[in-house]
Every structure is written in C-alpha cells, then in structure tokens.
Amino acid sequence: MMSVWTLLLTALLLILCRIIYNLFFHPLHRFPGPRMAAATTWWRAYKEVYKQETLAQVLFGLHEQYGHIVRIGPNELHFGKPSAYHDIYNGTKRWDKDEGLYRTPGLRSGSFILLKYAEAKERRDVLQPMFSKKAISNLESLIWSKAHTLASAIREANTAERSIDFLHAFRAFTLDTIMCFTFGNCVNALSAPDFMDPLVVTMDASLRSVPFLRNFPRIRDLIYSIPPSLIMRVLPNPEKLAPRVYQVRAMIEEELAKVLQNPQKLNQAPHQTIFHRMLDADTHRNRIIPDYTELQDEGFTIIFAGAITVADTLVVGLWNLLNQPQTLSRLKSELLTVWPDLHRAPRLKQLESLPLLTATIKESLRHLPLAASLTRVVPHPGAVISGEQIPPGTIVGMASIHVHQSEDVFSNPSSFIPDRWLDDGAGELEQWLVPFSRGPRMCFGVNLAWAELYVAFAMMIRCFDMTIDQTTPEDMEWRECIGVYYPRRHLHAWCRPVVR
Ligand code: HEM
C-alpha cells in the first residue's frame, strides 16, 4: 500500500507538472499577465479572498502594465479595449456562460445561471413578455405606489430626526417592487424600521461571501449540498449562527412556498407573475412545467437580479448629485415643469421626456459599480477578439466598468457629468453605455429598471431637500465579485420634505 508520504509527493508532482504545463505549453502561454495568474487559479483566490481586492479594479493596473489582453487565470483572458466588449457580447455570439462564475450562487437553473444559450432562450421566451415595454408601462401604478411608500417612510424618519441609509432604503424599494410584480407576494420591506428588513440586510451581508464561494468551488458545492431549510432547522439560533447564504436562500424559499402552496392566490394578483407564466404548460415550447427546484432557482435569480442593481444605481447617482448642488438644482427645475403640484405626480411618459433626468440616469448607470467580468467560453474553432485569434475553450470576458471608465471613449471618465449625454456627439456615446450588457444574454429587466429609476430619482429629487450625513468618499469605496457591497458605512443623507 502507498504511504501517505508517497501520496503527498505524487500530488505535489502532479501540481508541479500542471504549473509547468500552464506556464510553457498551454494554448494561452503567449498571452501576457502575472506569472502567478498563468500558473494557478490560486492567484485569483489570493487577490479576491485573502487581499479582499476587486479584480476589475486590479485589472486597470494590469492592462496598463501588460496591454489590452491580460491572462488572469491559466485558462482565462480579460480584455481592456472597449471594442472587445462588442466582439464578445453581440447578437451573433451564442457562447456558453462559464460555470466558474455562474455556478457561484449554487443554483442549477434560473435565467441568469443557465449556461447554454438554447436553454436560456427557452426560458427567456417564457418570461420576457412580462418585461416588455408595454407590460412595464401597465405596471406604472405599482412602481409609483412603492415610491410613495418609500417617500412616506422617509418623511417619518425625518420627523424622528433620523437620516436615511440610502442603500437599505432603495433596496427595500426595489425588493418590494420586484416581489409584488414577479411573485405577486409583497414582503413590505419598506415598512421595516430604518428599512432594515431581514431579507434586505441578509442579501447585502451574503454578498460578502461571494468571493470565497467563487474561488473555492469544492467547498461551495459542499456547503450548497446541505438544504438551507435543514440548516435553519437544526442550528440553534440560526438567525445569528447560520451563514448568510443559507439565511437568504431559506428566506426566499419561504416566500416562494407561500406562493406555490397556495397557487389560487395568484388569481388575486392584478398582473401576471413569473409563476403564471412558468406554471402554464402552453408558455413552454416542450410543454413541460419546470419542477419545484427550477421555480425556486428562477425566483432567487429574479429577486437578486432585480433588487440589487437598480438600488445601487440610485445610490451612486444620488451620491454624485449631492456633491453637485448645481446639477441637482437644474434637475429640480426641470422636474417642476412636469410636476408642479406636489400632490399630483406625473406619468412615467412625462418623466421619460425630460432630457436632464434621462442624462442623469445614463450617467448613473455609467458609474454603477458593475465589475464582474461576464465570462463566456469561446466555442470551436476559436474566435477573433480585439484583433487576436483566441483558441477554443478559452474563458473570455470583460467587466463593463472597463468600457465605462475608458479614456478612449469618455472624456474625464471618472467625473460624473450628465451633460455629456446632451452634448453634440452624444449619439455616438450610446454604443458605449453597456450596463445591461449586449447580445443574446443581455438583461431582460431593462425596461423595468429604467421605469423604477425614472420614478425613484424623480421622487427623491422633487420631494426632498437632501444633504449628506457624514458619508465620506472612502465610505463609497466598494467591493464586487458578482454583487457590489460597501465594506465601510453606507451612504446616509438627511431628507427634509419640501412643502410645495
Ligand atoms: C440597473 C439595473 C440593472 C442592471 C445594470 C442589470 C444588468 C444586467 C447585466 C449586465 C446582465 C447580463 C449578465 C450576464 O451576462 O451574465 C443582466 C442579466 C439579467 N438581468 Fe439585469 N440588470 C438590471 C436590472 C434588472 C431587473 C430589474 C431585472 C428584473 C427581473 C433583471 C433581470 C435580469 C435577468 C433575469 C438576467 C439574465 C439574462 C440572461 O442571462 O439571459 N435585471 N442584467
């Protein structure tokens, strides 16, 4: 029998052979980048987990050092030239998503997670009609009603002399909107004291474990193999002791169970929910209704995809506006043209006609911390990206902040300048605004996102005089692996209600 030492030695030898292969014989060996990154995936784990760095931020320096293509893993390339974005994400590229990134949430299905284009297209055909421009305009009253609830809660906090945590407030707004719309089951996060709804708080906290889960797939799979509901049942005091990923999944499962155990409740919903669509065999090409796990995975995906990004756009936009009183005051004047009487809110269509508000939303989306490289697998026989022949099987990707912060495309890219979207030549810039990505896997919540952004920005700017409460630029430094979080203090602001 082999001794432990022989086994260890063999394992070490195999690792060494792998490293030598990766460095000198791998099809990507000619691409530049840190040697450690080429040798082993541990480089990434070291950066993201041990050093707690955001790879997309590190990559700005690496592209400067190594050029527009950088090898960031034994089998992974990141691209830095904005034009590469359109080479990878466009209508003709039906490339698989890479499981290294998309298995991180521990789901097997769900629109965002499905790896193959064909599967994702089938699911998209079922759900996308709910998110069309027309469907979303029918949802206008729901969005306004959540925005009014948000405004009332902010007024109450102000009366009690409390400033507002914008991250929690806007995530409560987006969570209530997405849950009421897609589940037909409102969680009323907006009524939680200080917007500290358990789901909002736990979702935020769970994002901190994403770098670990992404970099240690075996441990991750082990963790996810235990059903969250079991952990929550067997652990004493699970609200304190269970890892956040379990807590958030258990909460979403609970919300789903409320809907699925009582499907006739769906009849009371004033609009179609994802379950109307997914439980209807006629919406599926193969006429097969997804099983319980698939429904759960879809619900989880939609909640995370829909609740976090919109709220984060509001946070980043308002942070910049509060530091630019002149732009804020121009926005207030513009809003008065369609919203003169405080008690009669305008229609979404009227907000959409406002040039400065529209430009502000675009600029907020450009500044959104979207830093995950949305990785794809190059199919046979390979592809040309950024003018270079890339071998099949390579994982390729680009984070949208590398387009949005490019000096080749945007002048003063790090400055918040809504007027850039109103200047001559703004039309040219549009192709470089890619927060929702492009191509067959681009976001299908885009119309809902825009509607929520119009309504919430308008509500905050028209109804409140806002000033920052001690938040510093350092507080606004973020980290991101798949969803952004702020390790220090969230943006807080005083919101004094305007009277006319
Ligand atoms: C400002 C708000 C939003 C931003 C910036 C955003 C951004 C994105 C991006 C970049 C992707 C592509 C991800 C990839 O390639 O893997 C995506 C996909 C997706 N988004 Fe959004 N999103 C937003 C709001 C929403 C909303 C409100 C929903 C509501 C349901 C939503 C649902 C989805 C879904 C289901 C996918 C997966 C599509 C697929 O892979 O086929 N998103 N989003």
Side-chain angles (χ1 to χ4, degrees), residues 81-276:
K81 247 196 214 162
S83 58
Y85 198 90
H86 294 297
D87 289 342
I88 303 171
Y89 311 100
N90 73 55
T92 63
K93 303 280 164 55
R94 296 170 174 185
W95 298 352
D96 290 352
K97 286 188 168 183
D98 145 53
E99 60 179 2
L101 174 68
Y102 291 94
R103 287 281 178 250
T104 304
L107 311 174
R108 290 277 141 196
S109 67
S111 298
F112 176 74
I113 304 296
L114 292 166
L115 301 180
K116 301 263 174 227
Y117 162 79
E119 293 170 323
K121 169 84 171 62
E122 258 187 74
R123 182 60 57 81
R124 189 176 271 255
D125 288 347
V126 174
L127 294 178
Q128 203 168 17
M130 285 178 62
F131 294 90
S132 70
K133 181 94 178 118
K134 187 162 178 294
I136 296 301
S137 65
N138 291 337
L139 216 69
E140 184 179 344
S141 59
L142 170 73
I143 301 172
W144 275 110
S145 103
K146 296 298 161 205
H148 282 297
T149 312
L150 169 71
S152 307
I154 292 178
R155 283 190 200 100
E156 275 171 33
N158 181 65
T159 311
E161 288 297 318
R162 290 198 310 274
S163 66
I164 304 299
D165 178 331
F166 273 7
L167 191 93
H168 283 155
F170 296 138
R171 287 204 181 155
F173 161 69
T174 50
L175 183 67
D176 274 357
T177 309
I178 196 80
M179 290 288 287
C180 285
F181 169 35
T182 56
F183 279 46
N185 178 43
C186 306
V187 282
N188 295 328
L190 285 165
S191 13
D194 291 327
F195 305 105
M196 300 275 282
D197 175 80
L199 190 47
V200 170
V201 175
T202 314
M203 275 170 83
D204 185 34
S206 72
L207 295 175
R208 287 157 204 257
S209 54
V210 173
F212 180 85
L213 297 170
R214 190 202 188 311
N215 282 289
F216 296 98
R218 283 182 220 284
I219 304 180
R220 174 190 75 207
D221 293 347
L222 190 74
I223 293 175
Y224 287 140
S225 65
I226 311 168
S229 47
L230 180 71
I231 291 283
M232 297 303 283
R233 261 202 313 273
V234 296
L235 267 186
N237 201 356
E239 284 73 26
K240 285 229 162 67
L241 295 181
R244 297 293 193 186
V245 277
Y246 285 123
Q247 293 188 22
V248 76
R249 284 172 60 142
M251 282 177 193
I252 292 175
E253 273 177 31
E254 205 180 299
E255 293 305 323
L256 260 157
K258 282 185 202 159
V259 180
L260 297 177
Q261 282 161 13
N262 192 3
Q264 57 277 28
K265 226 185 127 192
L266 290 177
N267 299 335
Q268 295 158 15
H271 47 259
Q272 282 214 316
T273 66
I274 54 170
F275 304 108
H276 285 96

Side-chain angles (χ1 to χ4, degrees), residues 97 102 111-112 120 124 131 178 298 301-302 305-306 309-310 313 365 368 370 374 376 434-437 440-446 448-449 452-453:
K97 286 188 168 183
Y102 291 94
S111 298
F112 176 74
R124 189 176 271 255
F131 294 90
I178 196 80
E298 193 59 61
T301 308
I302 297 267
T309 39
V310 176
T313 312
L365 286 166
L368 181 63
L370 273 180
L374 303 170
R376 304 288 190 261
V434 291
F436 300 100
S437 192
R441 303 302 297 269
M442 83 169 274
C443 178
F444 62 65
V446 50
L448 174 61
E452 287 180 277
L453 290 170

Side-chain angles (χ1 to χ4, degrees), residues 5 28 45 73 90 103 266 268 288 331 384 420 442 465:
W5 288 112
L28 298 187
N90 73 55
R103 287 281 178 250
L266 290 177
Q268 295 158 15
I288 299 173
L331 274 165
V384 175
R420 71 171 84 241
M442 83 169 274
D465 285 329

